[in-house]
Amino acid sequence: MNIRKSILSCGLILSATFSFAQDQQKMDQFIDGLLSKMTVEEKIGQLNLVTGGEATTGSVVSTDVESKIKAGNIGGIFSMSSPAKIRKAQELAVKHSRLGIPIIFGMDVIHGYKTAFPIPLGLAATWDMELIRKTARVSAVEASADGINWTFSPMVDISRDPRWGRISEGSGEDTYLTSRIAREMVLGYQGNDLSQYNTLLACVKHFALYGASEAGRDYQATDMSLHRMYNEYLPPYKAALGAGAMSVMTSFNDINGLPATANRWLLTDLLRNDWGFKGLVVTDYTAVNELIDHGLGDLHEVSALSLQAGVDMDMVGEGFLTTLKKSLTEKRVKEEDINRAVRFVLEAKYRLGLFDDPYRYCDEQRAKREIGKPEHLALAREAATKSFVLLKNEQQTLPLKKTGSIAVIGPLANTGANMPGTWSVSADHANTQTLVEGMREVLGNKVKISTHLGANLTEDAALQERSTMFGRTIPRDTRPESEIIAEALEIANQADVIVAALGESSEMSGESSSRTDLNLPESQSRLLAALVKTGKPLVLVLFTGRPLTLSVEQKAVPAILNVWFGGTETGKAVADVLFGDVNPSGKLPATFPQNVGQIPLYYSQKNTGRPLAEGAWFQKFRSNYLDVSNEPLYPFGFGLSYTTFEYSPIQLSSSSLTRSGQLKVAVDVKNTGNYDGEEVVQLYIRDMVGTITRPVKELKGFQKLMIKKGETKRVEFTIGEADLKFYDLKLNHVAELGAFKVFIGTNSRDLQQADFQLTD
Ligand code: BGC
């Protein structure tokens, strides 16, 4: 479809004809033409990304936005929503700036928009790729209906340190699982054609290695060997780009001595030259300015450094806007670097179809029609139920019967605002049900539900305040703890079953929410101990944005359902699972350690030269701790079901695989319990001998499937040479001949195994 479009220019009408199809040549011609008309100031203006202020994550907030738009000093705005507001801002750019270049509108659409899905770590726990893609699609439909065309997602940072609050925003510890999810999210956001009115430009973040910040402290440095980077941390970014993501956000952290935002090796040698990325590189919030505190120079210096390193767009800090012209005159930067950056900004706008119709995302009727649709809410409910991980279920405490009475006790029982989870700035908090409200809606009059706060989120009022920012309130009871617990026990004692709704508030994870203590806050532990003493059937419904240390709870409580933060429909979804309408199938995307001292603890560790003997937990002069075993509390990939599954031994099509061949690996999985259920069958590989040391296992495949009660399903995987490749010390991507083990099972610990050889 060819469309003629007029753009105001210097009082002249510039006519441009171009196609929606992403025809490189036409795009190049159009952008060359536009670039040739732009002054240096207008070019630098395109590199300036400001915030509309609806959600800010730094102390600096953009000012004087209206006059800057008119002056052509703004290329993009983020954190502004609604067709009316965005139309108004777009009109300023299109009608009042000299060249009428439209603005791109970004937003952190991280796990849903008005309809919130589970936090990304929870979504990862579904291991359901189709579902994850659908959630990204719905996010794009809703956000684009509200005027937005660019999302700062997916966040694909691998993290093996649950102290880091942002582990909640990613897909956990594993390279393969995160890479698969990255791909689905990009495809969900961008669809097949970015110029469609209901797609969003995806932005892969945070490039790179942000999840490996030292000590789990946010914004901290990362220091990592190249082969670990290439084998374990970089693949998810690459996978997202492979799926077509057309923008990348630089990370805040220092990487081996040079912060990502000034790191030319990262942004140009690797991203552009090796990986061939042809999209837009934007910084994180004021990341250019932060290079001053990193110790790289003044604003003038660091802005020039970032541009030369490969940054195209400067988020919020206006270092580019205020210094690049001078740097150009002083020849600190080249005009070709500015042109490169402007070209990528303009290309993003072109791909989104903004030059054709700058108001294509500003249809108020569409916003009314498409935001919060019943089918979106149904998907949110399904996603939530699938994200929950059953950690313990002694004597089939769950599912509960839909009769009698239940006491729902705890600080998370009655807070709607916490249910969507961290980074859900656009979610409709006001109308999000609490856990108790959701349960009541699902159960109607069948079950009598009573409730009580039971304990404060934490004893420390100041910590509670820091942990419930942005309106995520949880009531606080200032009476002595003994009185609060006594009152809760009165209610609990009258009920048949107790549901303890405990854990973190949503803002205890997310950005700038690192923690050093991952136990349940003591006020809540004491409540739980008192509830256990009642001797009633007890279920811990655990809210969390990260792996917690639950050794005490694992011993004391008969049933634990980890529900993360499940999004808008959390309350109903928890009821669906507790009462058996849905059989839980979530599996942990990150290891739950026994205690904080074991961190980093992840399943794909190296063997060491002194591994423990099979079954031993302490041996002198072997690799272990004196006080606790090396084992996690719950391993990666772990999650129970109301039913049970039995795995047959592995059947291999051959004991060897040639480089061009394929090996079929199969197991029979039988549902041996009393419920139909979904199982995630996981395949891991170990390379037994290499030129570098290799992990004791690496996830290389999985299949999620429904197996009916009594039914047996055969699950087959195909392994080829590509699955055995890794980056060697010289960073060659190779598969080395020799012995391998393949494992299949229900989690990364409980596995069947078989051996094969890779041969020429
Ligand atoms: C976060 C990013 C986010 C950006 C814009 C930053 O503080 O690190 O993930 O996209 O703010 O809101």
mmCIF file of all heavy atoms in Angstrom, residues 55 57-58 78-79 108 110 152 166 169 205-206 210 219 249 252 284-285 315 423 511, ligand 1:
data_model
loop_
_atom_site.group_PDB
_atom_site.id
_atom_site.type_symbol
_atom_site.label_atom_id
_atom_site.label_comp_id
_atom_site.label_asym_id
_atom_site.label_seq_id
_atom_site.Cartn_x
_atom_site.Cartn_y
_atom_site.Cartn_z
ATOM 1 N N ALA A 55 5.760 7.483 35.321
ATOM 2 C CA ALA A 55 6.532 6.583 36.192
ATOM 3 C C ALA A 55 7.981 6.979 36.034
ATOM 4 O O ALA A 55 8.477 7.053 34.914
ATOM 5 C CB ALA A 55 6.355 5.142 35.756
ATOM 6 N N THR A 57 12.065 6.565 37.480
ATOM 7 C CA THR A 57 12.929 5.701 38.280
ATOM 8 C C THR A 57 14.246 6.397 38.611
ATOM 9 O O THR A 57 15.224 5.754 38.923
ATOM 10 C CB THR A 57 13.220 4.395 37.528
ATOM 11 O OG1 THR A 57 13.776 4.739 36.267
ATOM 12 C CG2 THR A 57 11.995 3.572 37.347
ATOM 13 N N GLY A 58 14.222 7.716 38.522
ATOM 14 C CA GLY A 58 15.435 8.448 38.866
ATOM 15 C C GLY A 58 15.052 9.789 39.451
ATOM 16 O O GLY A 58 13.882 10.161 39.474
ATOM 17 N N PHE A 78 8.603 8.937 26.875
ATOM 18 C CA PHE A 78 8.088 7.701 27.469
ATOM 19 C C PHE A 78 7.398 8.023 28.781
ATOM 20 O O PHE A 78 7.558 9.110 29.337
ATOM 21 C CB PHE A 78 9.200 6.661 27.658
ATOM 22 C CG PHE A 78 10.167 6.985 28.762
ATOM 23 C CD1 PHE A 78 10.076 6.342 29.991
ATOM 24 C CD2 PHE A 78 11.161 7.916 28.577
ATOM 25 C CE1 PHE A 78 10.969 6.632 31.014
ATOM 26 C CE2 PHE A 78 12.053 8.227 29.592
ATOM 27 C CZ PHE A 78 11.959 7.580 30.816
ATOM 28 N N SER A 79 6.616 7.031 29.234
ATOM 29 C CA SER A 79 5.811 7.210 30.445
ATOM 30 C C SER A 79 4.787 8.323 30.265
ATOM 31 O O SER A 79 4.690 9.241 31.079
ATOM 32 C CB SER A 79 6.690 7.494 31.670
ATOM 33 O OG SER A 79 7.238 6.303 32.133
ATOM 34 N N ASP A 108 7.193 1.400 29.885
ATOM 35 C CA ASP A 108 7.612 0.115 30.439
ATOM 36 C C ASP A 108 6.402 -0.811 30.509
ATOM 37 O O ASP A 108 5.756 -0.912 31.543
ATOM 38 C CB ASP A 108 8.215 0.318 31.830
ATOM 39 C CG ASP A 108 9.577 0.970 31.754
ATOM 40 O OD1 ASP A 108 10.559 0.237 31.615
ATOM 41 O OD2 ASP A 108 9.647 2.224 31.807
ATOM 42 N N ILE A 110 5.817 -4.149 30.871
ATOM 43 C CA ILE A 110 6.749 -5.223 31.235
ATOM 44 C C ILE A 110 6.050 -6.581 31.329
ATOM 45 O O ILE A 110 6.534 -7.573 30.809
ATOM 46 C CB ILE A 110 7.431 -4.899 32.585
ATOM 47 C CG1 ILE A 110 8.064 -3.505 32.558
ATOM 48 C CG2 ILE A 110 8.445 -5.967 32.960
ATOM 49 C CD1 ILE A 110 9.198 -3.337 31.600
ATOM 50 N N PHE A 152 9.722 -1.009 26.662
ATOM 51 C CA PHE A 152 11.057 -1.318 27.173
ATOM 52 C C PHE A 152 11.047 -2.731 27.751
ATOM 53 O O PHE A 152 11.191 -2.965 28.946
ATOM 54 C CB PHE A 152 11.470 -0.293 28.221
ATOM 55 C CG PHE A 152 11.489 1.117 27.699
ATOM 56 C CD1 PHE A 152 11.080 2.181 28.489
ATOM 57 C CD2 PHE A 152 11.912 1.396 26.408
ATOM 58 C CE1 PHE A 152 11.089 3.486 28.010
ATOM 59 C CE2 PHE A 152 11.930 2.693 25.911
ATOM 60 C CZ PHE A 152 11.515 3.735 26.714
ATOM 61 N N ARG A 166 15.732 -7.140 40.944
ATOM 62 C CA ARG A 166 15.232 -7.176 39.572
ATOM 63 C C ARG A 166 15.199 -8.572 38.985
ATOM 64 O O ARG A 166 14.815 -8.748 37.825
ATOM 65 C CB ARG A 166 16.035 -6.214 38.692
ATOM 66 C CG ARG A 166 16.021 -4.804 39.235
ATOM 67 C CD ARG A 166 16.422 -3.775 38.220
ATOM 68 N NE ARG A 166 15.333 -3.461 37.310
ATOM 69 C CZ ARG A 166 15.364 -2.467 36.425
ATOM 70 N NH1 ARG A 166 16.434 -1.696 36.340
ATOM 71 N NH2 ARG A 166 14.349 -2.243 35.621
ATOM 72 N N GLU A 169 12.023 -9.261 37.351
ATOM 73 C CA GLU A 169 11.667 -8.714 36.028
ATOM 74 C C GLU A 169 12.163 -9.554 34.870
ATOM 75 O O GLU A 169 11.910 -9.236 33.701
ATOM 76 C CB GLU A 169 12.272 -7.316 35.870
ATOM 77 C CG GLU A 169 11.649 -6.262 36.717
ATOM 78 C CD GLU A 169 12.360 -4.930 36.502
ATOM 79 O OE1 GLU A 169 12.466 -4.478 35.359
ATOM 80 O OE2 GLU A 169 12.844 -4.360 37.499
ATOM 81 N N LYS A 205 16.536 -5.541 26.992
ATOM 82 C CA LYS A 205 17.338 -4.889 28.017
ATOM 83 C C LYS A 205 17.753 -5.900 29.062
ATOM 84 O O LYS A 205 17.215 -6.994 29.093
ATOM 85 C CB LYS A 205 16.555 -3.739 28.638
ATOM 86 C CG LYS A 205 15.364 -4.159 29.514
ATOM 87 C CD LYS A 205 14.548 -2.942 29.922
ATOM 88 C CE LYS A 205 13.525 -3.335 30.965
ATOM 89 N NZ LYS A 205 12.612 -2.268 31.324
ATOM 90 N N HIS A 206 18.708 -5.558 29.897
ATOM 91 C CA HIS A 206 19.538 -4.348 29.852
ATOM 92 C C HIS A 206 20.882 -4.815 29.344
ATOM 93 O O HIS A 206 21.495 -5.668 29.988
ATOM 94 C CB HIS A 206 19.662 -3.711 31.224
ATOM 95 C CG HIS A 206 18.336 -3.411 31.871
ATOM 96 N ND1 HIS A 206 17.601 -4.321 32.565
ATOM 97 C CD2 HIS A 206 17.595 -2.269 31.936
ATOM 98 C CE1 HIS A 206 16.501 -3.781 33.040
ATOM 99 N NE2 HIS A 206 16.458 -2.534 32.667
ATOM 100 N N TYR A 210 23.431 -7.097 33.344
ATOM 101 C CA TYR A 210 22.949 -6.336 34.501
ATOM 102 C C TYR A 210 22.604 -7.272 35.655
ATOM 103 O O TYR A 210 22.785 -6.937 36.828
ATOM 104 C CB TYR A 210 21.730 -5.531 34.044
ATOM 105 C CG TYR A 210 21.100 -4.574 35.023
ATOM 106 C CD1 TYR A 210 21.822 -3.936 36.023
ATOM 107 C CD2 TYR A 210 19.744 -4.265 34.891
ATOM 108 C CE1 TYR A 210 21.204 -3.035 36.883
ATOM 109 C CE2 TYR A 210 19.122 -3.365 35.735
ATOM 110 C CZ TYR A 210 19.854 -2.756 36.734
ATOM 111 O OH TYR A 210 19.233 -1.866 37.569
ATOM 112 N N TYR A 219 22.636 -1.710 40.305
ATOM 113 C CA TYR A 219 23.518 -0.753 39.613
ATOM 114 C C TYR A 219 25.007 -1.050 39.840
ATOM 115 O O TYR A 219 25.865 -0.277 39.436
ATOM 116 C CB TYR A 219 23.222 0.702 40.030
ATOM 117 C CG TYR A 219 21.749 1.052 40.165
ATOM 118 C CD1 TYR A 219 21.215 1.532 41.362
ATOM 119 C CD2 TYR A 219 20.883 0.906 39.081
ATOM 120 C CE1 TYR A 219 19.867 1.843 41.486
ATOM 121 C CE2 TYR A 219 19.533 1.215 39.193
ATOM 122 C CZ TYR A 219 19.028 1.683 40.401
ATOM 123 O OH TYR A 219 17.694 1.990 40.513
ATOM 124 N N MET A 249 18.360 -1.593 24.991
ATOM 125 C CA MET A 249 18.658 -0.599 26.033
ATOM 126 C C MET A 249 19.973 -0.964 26.721
ATOM 127 O O MET A 249 20.170 -2.108 27.114
ATOM 128 C CB MET A 249 17.537 -0.579 27.073
ATOM 129 C CG MET A 249 17.719 0.511 28.132
ATOM 130 S SD MET A 249 16.447 0.424 29.440
ATOM 131 C CE MET A 249 14.988 0.896 28.542
ATOM 132 N N PHE A 252 22.950 -0.170 33.242
ATOM 133 C CA PHE A 252 23.602 0.803 34.122
ATOM 134 C C PHE A 252 25.010 0.368 34.540
ATOM 135 O O PHE A 252 25.824 1.186 34.924
ATOM 136 C CB PHE A 252 22.797 0.932 35.425
ATOM 137 C CG PHE A 252 21.474 1.661 35.310
ATOM 138 C CD1 PHE A 252 20.293 1.055 35.711
ATOM 139 C CD2 PHE A 252 21.426 2.970 34.856
ATOM 140 C CE1 PHE A 252 19.078 1.739 35.659
ATOM 141 C CE2 PHE A 252 20.211 3.662 34.812
ATOM 142 C CZ PHE A 252 19.043 3.042 35.205
ATOM 143 N N ASP A 284 19.658 3.512 29.355
ATOM 144 C CA ASP A 284 18.713 3.447 30.461
ATOM 145 C C ASP A 284 18.606 4.863 31.062
ATOM 146 O O ASP A 284 19.327 5.792 30.664
ATOM 147 C CB ASP A 284 19.155 2.404 31.503
ATOM 148 C CG ASP A 284 17.962 1.916 32.335
ATOM 149 O OD1 ASP A 284 16.929 2.609 32.362
ATOM 150 O OD2 ASP A 284 18.064 0.858 32.958
ATOM 151 N N TYR A 285 17.729 4.992 32.023
ATOM 152 C CA TYR A 285 17.370 6.282 32.642
ATOM 153 C C TYR A 285 18.604 7.034 33.167
ATOM 154 O O TYR A 285 19.249 6.571 34.108
ATOM 155 C CB TYR A 285 16.429 5.972 33.806
ATOM 156 C CG TYR A 285 15.463 7.063 34.199
ATOM 157 C CD1 TYR A 285 14.119 6.985 33.859
ATOM 158 C CD2 TYR A 285 15.872 8.147 34.944
ATOM 159 C CE1 TYR A 285 13.217 7.959 34.249
ATOM 160 C CE2 TYR A 285 14.977 9.122 35.334
ATOM 161 C CZ TYR A 285 13.643 9.027 34.982
ATOM 162 O OH TYR A 285 12.752 9.988 35.376
ATOM 163 N N MET A 315 18.383 8.701 27.284
ATOM 164 C CA MET A 315 17.142 8.735 28.057
ATOM 165 C C MET A 315 17.242 9.711 29.237
ATOM 166 O O MET A 315 18.057 9.533 30.137
ATOM 167 C CB MET A 315 16.805 7.336 28.587
ATOM 168 C CG MET A 315 15.434 7.246 29.231
ATOM 169 S SD MET A 315 15.141 5.703 30.140
ATOM 170 C CE MET A 315 14.844 4.525 28.861
ATOM 171 N N TRP A 423 6.840 -3.296 38.716
ATOM 172 C CA TRP A 423 6.847 -2.827 37.314
ATOM 173 C C TRP A 423 5.533 -3.111 36.597
ATOM 174 O O TRP A 423 5.510 -3.751 35.543
ATOM 175 C CB TRP A 423 8.005 -3.421 36.508
ATOM 176 C CG TRP A 423 9.113 -2.441 36.299
ATOM 177 C CD1 TRP A 423 10.441 -2.706 36.471
ATOM 178 C CD2 TRP A 423 9.040 -1.067 35.883
ATOM 179 N NE1 TRP A 423 11.177 -1.571 36.214
ATOM 180 C CE2 TRP A 423 10.353 -0.554 35.840
ATOM 181 C CE3 TRP A 423 7.978 -0.197 35.549
ATOM 182 C CZ2 TRP A 423 10.646 0.758 35.487
ATOM 183 C CZ3 TRP A 423 8.267 1.114 35.196
ATOM 184 C CH2 TRP A 423 9.589 1.565 35.169
ATOM 185 N N GLU A 511 13.187 -2.815 40.841
ATOM 186 C CA GLU A 511 14.366 -1.948 40.791
ATOM 187 C C GLU A 511 14.667 -1.341 42.156
ATOM 188 O O GLU A 511 13.763 -0.925 42.885
ATOM 189 C CB GLU A 511 14.152 -0.843 39.756
ATOM 190 C CG GLU A 511 15.412 -0.026 39.565
ATOM 191 C CD GLU A 511 15.369 0.892 38.356
ATOM 192 O OE1 GLU A 511 14.434 0.777 37.540
ATOM 193 O OE2 GLU A 511 16.282 1.733 38.231
HETATM 194 C C1 BGC B 1 15.022 0.933 34.365
HETATM 195 C C2 BGC B 1 14.593 0.450 33.013
HETATM 196 C C3 BGC B 1 13.376 1.200 32.537
HETATM 197 C C4 BGC B 1 13.683 2.680 32.562
HETATM 198 C C5 BGC B 1 12.567 3.548 32.041
HETATM 199 C C6 BGC B 1 15.101 2.437 34.451
HETATM 200 O O1 BGC B 1 15.311 2.866 35.747
HETATM 201 O O2 BGC B 1 16.270 0.366 34.676
HETATM 202 O O3 BGC B 1 14.352 -0.922 33.046
HETATM 203 O O4 BGC B 1 13.021 0.776 31.261
HETATM 204 O O5 BGC B 1 13.982 3.069 33.897
HETATM 205 O O6 BGC B 1 11.503 3.596 32.883
#
